[in-house]
Amino acid sequence: MNDQDFALTRNAAGRIVFTGKEGDVHEGVVPVRAFPISAPQEGVSLLGEDGHELRWISRLSDLPEAMRALIETELAQREFMPEITRIRQVSSFATPSKWQISTDRGDTELLLKAEDHIRRLTNSTLLITDGYGVSFLIRDIGAMDHHSRKLLDRFL
Amino acid sequence: MGAVQPRTRKGFSLQRVGSLSNMASVVNSHLVNLHTISPLSSDKQVSDAWHKALQARLSAREKIHASLETNLDEQLNYAKRLILLTNQRLIGLTWPALEFCEYPLGEDLALHQRDHAGIGCIELFAAGTRLAWWRYTMAHDPEATRFVRQFEQVLGGLLSGQPIVEAQPVLCPQCLMPLVPGQDECAYCDVETEAPPSSWVLLRLWRFAKPYRWQLLAGFLLMLASTAATLVPPYLTMPLMDKVLIPYENGSPINTDMVTLLLGGLFGSALLAWGLGWARTYILALVSERIGTDLRTITYDHLLHLSLEYFGGKRTGDLMARVGSESDRICLFLSLHLLDFATDVLMIAMTTAILISIDPWLALVTLLPLPLIVWMIHSVRQKLSTGFEKVDRVWSQVSNILADTIPGIRVVKAFAQEKRESARFRQVNQNNLAVNDRINKIWSLFSPSVTLLTEIGLLVVWAFGIWQVTHNKISVGVLTAFLAYISRFYTRLDSMSRIVSVTQKTASGAKRIFDILDRVSSVPEPVRPQHLDSIIGRIEIREAGFRYGNRAIIKDMNLVIEPGEMIGLVGHSGSGKSTLVNLMCRFYDVSEGSISIDGVNIRSLPIAEYRHNIGLVLQEPFLFFGSIAENIAYGKPHATLAEIVAAARAAHAHEFILRLPHGYDSLVGERGQGLSGGERQRISIARALLIDPRILILDEATASVDTETEKEIQKALDNLVRGRTTIAIAHRLSTLHKANRLVVMDRGEIVETGSHDELMQREGAYFRLYQAQARNVDTDLDDQSISAPENGKESAE
């Protein structure tokens, strides 16, 4: 926790500024999770504007509170992988199919173009990429209600 | 108050308008029609609510230029936000709280648009300070781009004090092609068909059946006749029973003439049914096979003309299945299932007529349970079909593992992971077993159940028939005839019930084929093609952008390549070099901006004509199955032998070809097995040389060969390059020593241009790349730079 030798701040333009040990300053730093699905809390990399890694943070919890909050706010604004909690309705069992879904980020609809766009990450976790490039996560099929599971089952 | 206008003005006036308040008429804006703003917001209430919230806040003199509805809030939750551009300010509104914020238009105001991982963002800056930002999913991206453009136009007009003098045609936000006035959708950016497949799609097969309509008609008539013929024998059992057997049992002698006649009739009808049935099946099988063949040919033809983008997004196996087995399935459906079904329906109709004509009451009792039984069979089958779909999918998992492992067998063995792969396969296999076990439970029950149901049906007929016979309402002969008829089509019920699921499956197969056929190439042929007689080779790339999925690969690129100039494209892998080359070949179309050759947009040239002017040499040369001569002449099938030899000589391929046992007639495999990488590459160079293109594109032509071979190829390439506009991509900077100009790319943008010396002096991105190669430090260049030191020396000369 104390071996941290850099500082992160947010400037007026809303960009994150990284100041290194030698006083080198990088603007527009982008935090990226290395394992966004399997281990979101571990392995966050700070990338400079040119795409080079500035610092590897193996655990977010190792950072001081303020910097962690800054990174997490930034991540929250960039990461978009709604978790599907319920499938309300599907337009057809053959693709392309429009699904009316509830997610942890509100209700929306997704367009499933082909069954291949449902990717099985583990036995109970699915990643669904919709026609517009948004990835939806189903963390645990077992945790969904019966109706959703039944609909989903027709596509698996 | 005229603040919120309906979108009435889609065309625009060309007249000069002086005062600011009239600007709205000039800047053709997506005037607020709140009902049609976003493709996803369909509920009208929200739009009305925006309306209400706005009316109270806009002053009477304010005019709305543009609006944008976004669908995410600051924490990226789904929520509606509205941005509104008026002639005085930028207004932000939230939903449902209707929080209001405003930013008066001023010169330091700027809107920036960017996107990352499927999320777009519009940020509002004032003198470098971010005031506000809005986020949206990429579904809203075209509207957002349009909004930002309009903002810039309005602000520009406002600041310069003069309205935009010339009204510009509305451009499609995606491809910048002018839109047809009054239309919101661009003809070039095709819209995905999103309708689910229905069985009606089968009707579309008529297009392929039409040429065979007379054969089809003949087949149908034959079907009628043959079905009628099969119905004769049970009818003849009636007199056989009533007039021959029963009288004999009662003591009368056998009427030999009648027996002969009836037996003759039975034999004759059987013979007739045989002959007609053969003719019918033969004709219809012929027709369906032809329809299948046409379908395959046309689909393949269409497929070949689709853009690379389509192929990029599809798996080879899937496309092969569509063209191959799906068309076969349709063919089978037409020749077998549909035929059987039609025969069955005809038979039922005719039987019903016959039964009613013999005895209406018995006919009623016989036919009454039929619909019930059909319904029961159908409902069980429906259950089964979902199960079978699951089996299909699990089965594809099994084959996927095979397809995954067998080509990668060297890796599996090298890392000694046989056990793990075997475990993976076993697990999927177990999965397959479990699914099959489950379905077999229902399936095994199915066939006995059908038998049971038909037996019950027969039982009803027996019971009612016996009762009727005992009351002397019908004769024994009539009862036997009824039983003969009814058992005939009870056995068909099962196959009839199958038609539903078979039709559904075929419909989805047909849909998959029509998906290809309906697909408009995203690289469309121009509507009004222009022709260039001779191409000089001046290439101009103007504000080109390209987006693949949700990733912007090329951004705002400007580059002019003079005729005969050789350009070297340099950059890290993933910097967009290959994409740029693909855009130039028009394998893809730019998402924004334009590429023109000799001042003509390449989109307005006929594709084949344009590509004839391009010679392409790829990193992995692809040789088709055939002789070397055929491969060299691939782009010009009628080339003379002398031309082929000349091209091979120029490509430094002549000598090694002669060393092969059959010279130019040596066969090469699909990827040119038996030839080394360098040899294959020189054949592909000869191929490019033979068509004598004005523009030459070398995409890492020497990347996959060793340094010695590279020198050979380099000599061949030097022959090829002479006098042509050349764009060469290379990892090894040494290969570009002949280039007039080097263009350094990084993450989709040009960062530097200039000659080797200029760029070295500048000590910028190229300098770093060069240094990295010279030092053989494999910083960012990937594994291809193994032999960098010698190259470094070579190009330093």
Side-chain angles (χ1 to χ4, degrees):
Chain A
M1 189 154 170
N2 299 321
D3 57 346
Q4 160 255 334
D5 51 2
F6 61 97
L8 293 178
T9 46
R10 190 185 286 277
N11 68 8
R15 306 274 181 265
I16 293 189
V17 180
F18 173 100
T19 315
K21 185 163 56 178
E22 286 95 25
D24 46 329
V25 176
H26 299 269
E27 207 177 294
V29 170
V30 180
V32 176
R33 287 195 213 273
F35 308 99
I37 298 159
S38 55
Q41 285 308 310
E42 281 171 49
V44 173
S45 179
L46 298 179
L47 300 182
E49 215 165 16
D50 53 358
H52 285 294
E53 181 171 74
L54 295 170
R55 191 59 53 111
W56 170 260
I57 302 162
S58 37
R59 261 166 210 291
L60 270 185
S61 52
D62 292 349
L63 289 179
E65 189 53 40
M67 270 159 67
R68 197 179 79 194
L70 184 68
I71 290 179
E72 283 190 340
T73 331
E74 184 70 12
L75 284 172
Q77 284 175 16
R78 296 168 52 84
E79 288 183 330
F80 189 64
M81 197 192 289
E83 271 184 41
I84 299 177
T85 51
R86 210 159 70 82
I87 302 170
R88 283 172 289 148
Q89 197 199 328
V90 300
S91 69
S92 84
F93 291 118
T95 51
S97 171
K98 263 197 182 145
W99 297 12
Q100 306 295 327
I101 51 171
S102 303
T103 71
D104 58 342
R105 295 177 186 273
D107 291 355
T108 185
E109 72 176 25
L110 80 81
L111 173 69
L112 184 73
K113 282 198 173 166
E115 273 136 14
D116 316 353
H117 293 173
I118 304 181
R119 207 177 113 204
R120 206 175 259 275
L121 298 177
T122 67
N123 241 339
S124 60
T125 311
L126 300 178
L127 189 71
I128 303 175
T129 311
D130 91 336
Y132 297 107
V134 176
S135 298
F136 292 88
L137 187 72
I138 294 181
R139 201 170 278 285
D140 185 6
I141 303 175
M144 291 204 300
D145 61 298
H146 182 67
H147 177 68
S148 309
R149 270 197 316 231
K150 214 170 138 188
L151 289 178
L152 187 65
D153 201 41
R154 296 291 298 268
F155 293 91
L156 298 179
Chain B
M1 60 192 297
V4 181
Q5 302 176 350
R7 183 170 49 179
T8 50
R9 196 183 274 277
K10 193 67 210 185
F12 15 107
S13 54
L14 285 161
Q15 77 215 79
R16 287 159 187 266
V17 186
S19 78
L20 246 176
S21 59
N22 278 334
M23 279 235 345
S25 60
V26 180
V27 182
N28 172 275
S29 55
H30 191 59
L31 281 177
V32 184
N33 179 345
L34 290 162
H35 300 275
T36 58
I37 285 170
S38 100
L40 290 180
S41 81
S42 50
D43 58 0
K44 207 170 152 192
Q45 276 201 328
V46 177
S47 316
D48 286 344
W50 287 134
H51 211 107
K52 217 178 281 170
L54 285 169
Q55 266 181 343
R57 281 176 166 120
L58 293 177
S59 68
R61 299 195 50 202
E62 226 171 338
K63 283 230 160 74
I64 295 177
H65 286 309
S67 74
L68 173 70
E69 195 181 79
T70 60
N71 62 345
L72 295 173
D73 68 7
E74 290 68 28
Q75 277 70 49
L76 296 184
N77 292 313
Y78 284 102
K80 290 185 167 54
R81 298 282 186 268
L82 187 78
I83 325 175
L84 201 67
L85 174 67
T86 74
N87 56 346
Q88 294 166 8
R89 53 194 173 154
L90 199 69
I91 295 170
L93 260 184
T94 65
W95 179 266
L98 294 177
E99 283 164 41
F100 184 87
C101 51
E102 56 171 341
Y103 309 95
L105 293 185
E107 67 178 312
D108 54 354
L109 222 53
L111 271 189
H112 290 289
Q113 186 190 8
R114 59 192 174 95
D115 64 86
H116 169 78
I119 296 295
C121 181
I122 287 187
E123 291 170 301
L124 179 69
F125 288 94
T129 307
R130 184 166 65 167
L131 298 177
W133 66 93
W134 293 270
R135 287 164 197 273
Y136 51 89
T137 60
M138 291 318 277
H140 292 254
D141 196 49
E143 290 104 63
T145 311
R146 180 158 48 192
F147 182 81
V148 172
R149 243 167 241 279
Q150 280 160 345
F151 172 83
E152 280 158 7
Q153 275 181 327
V154 169
L155 194 66
L158 197 71
L159 294 179
S160 60
Q162 45 182 263
I164 299 121
V165 179
E166 214 172 310
Q168 291 176 356
V170 198
L171 301 179
C172 166
Q174 293 207 322
C175 63
L176 288 190
M177 291 302 283
L179 287 177
V180 181
Q183 267 186 13
D184 231 7
E185 266 161 350
C186 176
Y188 284 102
C189 312
D190 70 319
V191 184
E192 187 84 14
T193 45
E194 281 162 16
S198 84
S199 297
W200 294 114
V201 81
L202 285 173
L203 289 184
R204 297 185 59 190
L205 287 173
W206 176 243
R207 174 180 151 197
F208 295 94
K210 214 174 160 196
Y212 305 103
R213 54 187 179 282
W214 298 116
Q215 284 100 314
L216 280 171
L217 184 69
F220 183 72
L221 294 177
L222 280 169
M223 190 195 289
L224 269 180
S226 71
T227 312
T230 57
L231 291 176
V232 175
Y235 200 86
L236 294 180
T237 58
M238 248 186 324
L240 205 60
M241 196 63 91
D242 287 343
K243 303 237 168 84
V244 182
L245 290 178
I246 290 177
Y248 173 72
E249 217 163 51
N250 295 339
S252 324
I254 292 248
N255 182 345
T256 333
D257 288 348
M258 193 164 191
V259 171
T260 320
L261 191 70
L262 286 175
L263 289 183
L266 278 176
F267 182 67
S269 65
L271 216 57
L272 194 66
W274 171 78
L276 289 170
W278 167 77
R280 167 204 72 173
T281 313
Y282 182 63
I283 287 191
L284 291 177
L286 278 187
V287 170
S288 69
E289 203 59 61
R290 273 162 186 67
I291 292 177
T293 308
D294 290 356
L295 197 63
R296 247 190 309 273
T297 322
I298 294 175
T299 312
Y300 182 61
D301 234 35
H302 190 86
L303 191 63
L304 281 183
H305 285 98
L306 288 176
S307 76
L308 271 193
E309 196 173 6
Y310 184 77
F311 290 92
K314 292 275 178 298
R315 289 188 308 205
T316 319
D318 177 52
L319 288 177
M320 275 163 66
R322 286 194 198 196
V323 178
S325 52
E326 298 288 359
S327 62
D328 203 47
R329 179 186 288 189
I330 290 176
C331 179
L332 197 71
F333 170 77
L334 293 177
S335 66
L336 203 70
H337 300 290
L338 195 62
L339 188 66
D340 278 357
F341 183 70
T343 318
D344 292 342
V345 168
L346 274 179
M347 198 173 85
I348 289 187
M350 289 183 187
T351 313
T352 312
I354 296 172
L355 291 185
I356 288 175
S357 75
I358 301 174
D359 186 305
W361 275 109
L362 189 55
L364 193 68
V365 173
T366 312
L367 298 173
L368 219 54
L370 208 67
L372 189 73
I373 292 171
V374 170
W375 176 78
M376 284 169 90
I377 294 177
H378 174 69
S379 60
V380 177
R381 203 159 258 294
Q382 202 63 7
K383 271 225 171 71
L384 277 174
S385 75
T386 20
F388 279 127
E389 271 170 34
K390 229 183 162 127
V391 170
D392 274 357
R393 277 195 283 262
V394 173
W395 182 246
S396 76
Q397 277 179 18
V398 173
S399 50
N400 270 351
I401 288 201
L402 290 179
D404 213 29
T405 320
I406 293 174
I409 190 71
R410 281 177 68 177
V411 181
V412 175
K413 284 193 178 296
F415 287 88
Q417 291 298 316
E418 290 97 335
K419 275 209 183 103
R420 178 238 197 94
E421 290 303 331
S422 137
R424 197 155 75 108
F425 189 68
R426 191 175 307 138
Q427 201 210 329
V428 175
N429 232 345
Q430 284 297 331
N431 213 343
N432 183 29
L433 193 65
V435 173
N436 271 302
D437 279 351
R438 223 174 306 148
I439 188 97
N440 283 338
K441 230 180 253 168
I442 316 175
W443 174 237
S444 54
L445 208 63
F446 180 69
S447 170
S449 311
V450 171
T451 319
L452 182 70
L453 288 170
T454 53
E455 292 296 341
I456 290 174
L458 284 174
L459 204 67
V460 173
V461 179
W462 269 111
F464 189 74
I466 291 172
W467 183 75
Q468 288 264 29
V469 171
T470 53
H471 286 76
N472 281 328
K473 296 259 173 62
I474 56 167
S475 67
V476 177
V478 171
L479 180 59
T480 35
F482 263 73
L483 286 168
Y485 275 122
I486 201 72
S487 55
R488 233 165 229 247
F489 73 63
Y490 268 137
T491 56
R492 306 297 308 159
L493 285 183
D494 176 33
S495 86
M496 279 183 76
S497 71
R498 208 170 295 174
I499 190 75
V500 179
S501 67
V502 173
T503 312
Q504 280 168 350
K505 268 200 196 122
T506 315
S508 75
K511 183 188 176 279
R512 279 150 64 78
I513 287 187
F514 281 114
D515 265 357
I516 297 181
L517 287 174
D518 292 345
R519 185 74 178 207
V520 185
S521 173
S522 59
V523 180
E525 283 284 351
V527 188
R528 278 183 298 277
Q530 280 177 287
H531 297 276
L532 286 177
D533 293 332
S534 58
I535 284 184
I536 306 165
R538 183 176 194 272
I539 302 171
E540 191 181 348
I541 302 168
R542 191 170 57 92
E543 289 177 32
F546 180 70
R547 183 178 283 285
Y548 192 87
N550 58 31
R551 246 179 58 196
I553 297 179
I554 301 272
K555 291 169 231 160
D556 200 27
M557 176 166 293
N558 288 294
L559 182 66
V560 176
I561 304 171
E562 297 299 336
E565 192 181 21
M566 180 173 175
I567 290 283
L569 280 182
V570 186
H572 301 152
S573 43
S575 58
K577 296 168 301 195
S578 290
T579 310
L580 182 63
V581 160
N582 283 338
L583 291 175
M584 285 188 195
C585 293
R586 234 196 132 198
F587 290 147
Y588 306 106
D589 266 339
V590 284
S591 327
E592 294 151 28
S594 69
I595 297 179
S596 29
I597 179 158
D598 297 351
V600 179
N601 192 331
I602 57 172
R603 291 180 138 189
S604 53
L605 295 169
I607 296 171
E609 199 179 301
Y610 171 62
R611 292 213 185 116
H612 269 303
N613 293 298
I614 298 179
L616 184 63
V617 181
L618 296 170
Q619 176 176 1
E620 277 290 326
F622 191 93
L623 301 187
F624 293 96
F625 184 83
S627 73
I628 288 186
E630 281 164 3
N631 265 295
I632 294 179
Y634 189 72
K636 193 179 174 188
H638 301 297
T640 63
L641 295 182
E643 282 176 318
I644 293 176
V645 172
R649 263 185 217 281
H652 289 251
H654 183 64
E655 282 166 13
F656 88 76
I657 294 174
L658 290 183
R659 280 200 295 272
L660 295 171
H662 300 289
Y664 279 85
D665 289 327
S666 309
L667 284 182
V668 285
E670 58 181 302
R671 284 189 196 273
Q673 278 101 357
L675 297 179
S676 75
E679 289 167 341
R680 271 180 286 166
Q681 190 57 281
R682 277 176 280 167
I683 290 181
S684 81
I685 291 172
R687 179 151 71 189
L689 263 172
L690 188 63
I691 59 169
D692 190 24
R694 290 324 302 154
I695 299 167
L696 190 66
I697 290 172
L698 309 174
D699 192 347
E700 305 264 13
T702 57
S704 54
V705 291
D706 57 87
T707 336
E708 267 318 299
T709 324
E710 187 191 339
K711 277 183 190 147
E712 277 290 304
I713 295 179
Q714 200 57 51
K715 275 186 239 159
L717 283 178
D718 290 346
N719 279 339
L720 186 56
V721 164
R722 204 164 291 144
R724 302 173 212 274
T725 308
T726 306
I727 296 116
I729 299 182
H731 261 305
R732 290 182 221 167
L733 303 177
S734 62
T735 25
L736 299 175
H737 64 280
K738 285 236 164 104
N740 303 82
R741 250 191 319 159
L742 295 171
V743 173
V744 188
M745 287 183 65
D746 188 30
R747 285 182 292 161
E749 285 165 301
I750 295 180
V751 286
E752 282 178 324
T753 44
S755 69
H756 172 80
D757 296 338
E758 284 166 24
L759 292 177
M760 287 303 281
Q761 266 179 356
R762 203 177 295 168
E763 301 200 356
Y766 179 79
F767 179 77
R768 285 196 296 277
L769 268 176
Y770 185 81
Q771 289 289 316
Q773 273 195 17
R775 271 186 282 122
N776 194 10
V777 178
D778 201 0
T779 47
D780 258 328
L781 286 163
D782 48 36
D783 47 26
Q784 297 297 347
S785 51
I786 309 153
S787 49
E790 314 146 54
N791 297 324
K793 260 176 259 155
E794 202 179 301
S795 60
E797 287 163 15

